[in-house]
Amino acid sequence: FLFSDVLALPIFKQEDSSLPQENETKHPPFQYVMCAATSPAVKLYDETLTYLNQGQSYEIRMLDNRKAGDIPEINGKLVKSIIRVVFHDRRLQYTEHQQLEGWKWNRPGDRLLDLDIPMSVGVIDIKTNPSQLNAVEFLWDPTKCTSAFIQVHCISTEFTPRKHGGEKGVPFRIQVDTFKQTENGEYTDHLHSASCQIKVFKPKGADRKQKTDREKMEKRTAHEKEKYQPSYDTTVLTEMRLEPIIEDAVEHEQKKSSKRTLPADYGDSLAKRGSCSPWPDTPTTFVNNSPTPAPAFTSAQHNTYSVPDSNSSSPNHQGDGTSQGSGDQLHPSATIQETQQWLLKNRFSAYTRLFSNFSGADLLKLTREDLVQICGPADGIRLYNALKSRSVRPRLTIYVCQEPLRSIQLERQDAGSGDSNGAIYVYHAIYLEEMAASEVTRKLALAFNIPLHQINQVYRQGPTGIHILVSDQMVQNFQDESCFLFTTIKAENGEGFHIILK
């Protein structure tokens, strides 16, 4: 009896304390920091909570946190990171496949998570899998400055059962898993995982919620405030412990089907994946070391992009080849349906659901700051320019008028018209982008309905009436907003004619 009582005492904890505690004090090799403020209404020992706006771009800084000598095998090499938005509640994790399928059905063509490629820095070989709407992956160099800008398009209330209205939204997690390259060249060797808890609101809803929480905390007494965490300007993703997650996943699988036997290495395979949630209902994991085939990221399944480092310019938008100015201008009288068509035509399909109740007048009332706040800096500025029909300023503008026939001038003067110039000389504006002689010829033909193939040469009348051939160099030395009269004379061989600028 005495012996059993002694054994019941926590003496083994003292023995364990004398053992190396490397696992408890292990230094994480990487750190991920999201540039979004944490909520002040979180109790002291609870996990932080961060509010995000739907569709807004948020920066996640990828930081090398290794000490000297840690993981030397990745020195001078790239690592792969996978960013996902997953459910925080365990109940939803077990039905994640069904939840995402329902969301996909209601939001065809949309993604839960996107990477804002023009804003991101230092990430390369970006891949998105059409079957993985909640994840993006990319390679990055730990020794260089790296920032990934993410956009979360699902809101927390979309996964809440509709009962009486005003339901509380479910929390999500932003999870980052990082892998190193194996000997066979695949990035399947798990290095590190971290995550944070978030809630996603409709545009500007996160700002209002943050303000509401702050006002509630200001009303509390000093003693009550001590029970809550302060709000920080950034959110640090905390390192994840996989052991309890693996145990829950194995237990759930055993309860779900008593007829089949789980593989002996089921828990080990979960540990190698570094997954936050078990995802037992669908084989959609990114990394799978088991013999069962699973969907993998291949070049045929992905839209692949490349983002330069901080020393190079942003890449062009991946579009359908349609220029910004090719779409018709959006009018205030446009209906909701016409506004949706305009957004699709001008490559803003990602925001059609966001502006699903906006007419043309509603959309045109938004300021530049509003659009940047809603769509992020890149798409916000692009949408603002499209709404205002702002085209690229031409490099050179000249004004050209076809000189009227002398007989018409004489008739006008005989008729007593006071100012013949104002009545006859009507100029056309020619906007030049290429600054080339061929562009002058082409745009003259277009402005004055002259068959282009009939124009042999374009000359400029110089001193003493000499004719100087218009070359690229001459065009480049034209003064901006110069005015020219031009006449046409037949070519010597009788085929076509020449244009003379005066």
Side-chain angles (χ1 to χ4, degrees):
F1 179 78
L2 293 174
F3 184 66
S4 62
D5 283 349
V6 172
L7 289 179
L9 295 174
I11 57 173
F12 294 106
K13 290 186 179 180
Q14 297 175 2
E15 293 178 2
D16 291 341
S17 64
S18 63
L19 298 175
Q21 300 180 359
E22 294 180 0
N23 292 335
E24 297 180 6
T25 60
K26 185 178 179 181
H27 192 70
F30 304 106
Q31 191 175 53
Y32 319 113
V33 180
M34 183 166 62
C35 296
T38 60
S39 169
V42 177
K43 291 190 176 181
L44 198 59
Y45 297 105
D46 289 346
E47 185 181 8
T48 61
L49 177 61
T50 303
Y51 303 132
L52 304 183
N53 288 315
Q54 180 189 31
Q56 183 173 330
S57 296
Y58 291 92
E59 179 186 10
I60 296 181
R61 296 175 183 173
M62 317 289 288
L63 305 175
D64 187 359
N65 198 37
R66 293 176 296 159
K67 292 182 179 179
D70 287 354
I71 320 179
E73 60 269 23
I74 68 171
N75 291 338
K77 294 184 179 180
L78 301 176
V79 295
K80 181 176 78 172
S81 287
I82 300 170
I83 300 180
R84 289 183 285 170
V85 54
V86 296
F87 290 114
H88 174 76
D89 294 340
R90 186 72 64 194
R91 175 183 58 83
L92 291 173
Q93 290 177 10
Y94 292 139
T95 60
E96 183 168 278
H97 180 60
Q98 291 85 344
Q99 297 288 340
L100 298 188
E101 284 298 315
W103 189 89
K104 182 179 179 181
W105 177 264
N106 294 323
R107 302 270 297 269
D110 289 351
R111 292 184 56 82
L112 283 86
L113 182 70
D114 270 326
L115 199 66
D116 191 341
I117 299 172
M119 293 291 293
S120 300
V121 175
V123 296
I124 60 176
D125 195 21
I126 304 166
K127 296 177 181 178
T128 57
N129 191 328
S131 64
Q132 293 287 343
L133 302 180
N134 63 330
V136 293
E137 73 167 46
F138 53 85
L139 303 180
W140 59 287
D141 187 346
T143 62
K144 294 184 179 179
C145 295
T146 304
S147 291
F149 282 77
I150 62 167
Q151 298 171 335
V152 183
H153 299 295
C154 57
I155 58 177
S156 294
T157 53
E158 288 182 294
F159 300 95
T160 304
R162 297 291 187 266
K163 294 181 180 178
H164 308 291
E167 287 81 10
K168 187 177 180 180
V170 301
F172 301 120
R173 299 195 72 81
I174 294 294
Q175 176 182 333
V176 182
D177 301 309
T178 300
F179 304 84
K180 66 179 179 179
Q181 198 172 21
T182 59
E183 295 179 356
N184 58 6
E186 297 181 357
Y187 289 90
T188 56
D189 196 350
H190 178 257
L191 287 174
H192 182 246
S193 293
S195 65
C196 66
Q197 185 181 191
I198 64 167
K199 278 192 175 182
V200 186
F201 297 81
K202 289 184 178 180
K204 296 188 177 181
D207 306 322
R208 291 192 292 269
K209 177 62 175 172
Q210 187 80 357
K211 181 181 178 182
T212 301
D213 285 0
R214 188 167 57 249
E215 291 173 349
K216 286 182 179 179
M217 293 305 301
E218 290 174 354
K219 295 178 182 178
R220 295 182 182 272
T221 63
H223 178 69
E224 290 176 333
K225 288 180 182 179
E226 292 177 355
K227 300 177 183 179
Y228 291 85
Q229 301 180 24
S231 176
Y232 298 99
D233 293 336
T234 58
T235 303
V236 178
L237 279 66
T238 55
E239 193 172 20
M240 292 155 41
R241 293 181 59 199
L242 300 178
E243 291 78 6
I245 296 172
I246 295 167
E247 292 172 2
D248 289 349
V250 174
E251 182 181 356
H252 175 77
E253 281 295 303
Q254 290 173 341
K255 289 180 179 179
K256 192 175 73 171
S257 177
S258 59
K259 294 182 180 180
R260 64 185 179 95
T261 304
L262 292 175
D265 62 345
Y266 182 76
D268 294 337
S269 64
L270 281 178
K272 291 177 181 177
R273 294 173 193 169
S275 174
C276 175
S277 59
W279 289 4
D281 295 326
T282 175
T284 54
T285 51
F286 288 87
V287 182
N288 191 351
N289 296 329
S290 63
T292 305
F297 280 115
T298 60
S299 58
Q301 292 176 309
H302 285 79
N303 298 321
T304 304
Y305 312 93
S306 178
V307 176
D309 57 25
S310 57
N311 296 325
S312 59
S313 60
S314 298
N316 295 326
H317 283 281
Q318 302 291 332
D320 55 2
T322 306
S323 62
Q324 176 67 40
S326 63
D328 298 332
Q329 184 177 359
L330 183 67
H331 296 283
S333 59
T335 63
I336 293 176
Q337 291 76 14
E338 290 170 343
T339 304
Q340 291 286 297
Q341 293 173 1
W342 183 88
L343 289 169
L344 291 170
K345 187 175 182 180
N346 288 271
R347 297 186 291 113
F348 294 104
S349 57
Y351 304 100
T352 52
R353 185 173 180 84
L354 188 63
F355 298 116
S356 58
N357 295 322
F358 279 63
S359 64
D362 295 332
L363 203 56
L364 287 166
K365 287 177 182 177
L366 297 177
T367 64
R368 184 176 184 271
E369 291 73 20
D370 291 335
L371 293 172
V372 168
Q373 183 74 13
I374 294 170
C375 306
D379 284 340
I381 294 173
R382 192 167 67 88
L383 180 54
Y384 177 79
N385 290 339
L387 289 171
K388 303 303 179 183
S389 295
R390 299 182 63 176
S391 57
V392 179
R393 182 177 177 85
R395 296 175 63 186
L396 180 68
T397 302
I398 60 174
Y399 304 108
V400 182
C401 174
Q402 187 169 12
E403 190 173 22
L405 297 175
R406 188 169 183 79
S407 58
I408 298 178
Q409 287 181 331
L410 294 175
E411 289 177 5
R412 294 273 181 157
Q413 291 173 0
D414 293 341
S417 58
D419 189 1
S420 60
N421 290 336
I424 297 175
Y425 293 97
V426 178
Y427 285 80
H428 290 255
I430 305 295
Y431 302 106
L432 303 178
E433 302 288 349
E434 303 171 10
M435 303 287 285
S438 59
E439 185 184 18
V440 174
T441 305
R442 184 174 68 254
K443 293 193 173 181
L444 280 173
L446 184 64
F448 295 95
N449 296 320
I450 302 172
L452 181 60
H453 67 276
Q454 293 186 11
I455 302 177
N456 293 342
Q457 296 290 349
V458 178
Y459 299 102
R460 182 177 182 183
Q461 186 170 310
T464 67
I466 61 174
H467 295 165
I468 306 168
L469 182 66
V470 175
S471 62
D472 294 348
Q473 188 174 7
M474 179 184 288
V475 174
Q476 292 166 9
N477 283 278
F478 279 169
Q479 293 292 325
D480 193 27
E481 297 191 340
S482 298
C483 298
F484 297 98
L485 288 173
F486 79 89
T487 57
T488 58
I489 59 173
K490 287 187 177 181
E492 295 78 4
N493 56 7
E495 297 181 359
F497 51 86
H498 304 307
I499 291 181
I500 303 174
L501 301 175
K502 299 181 180 179

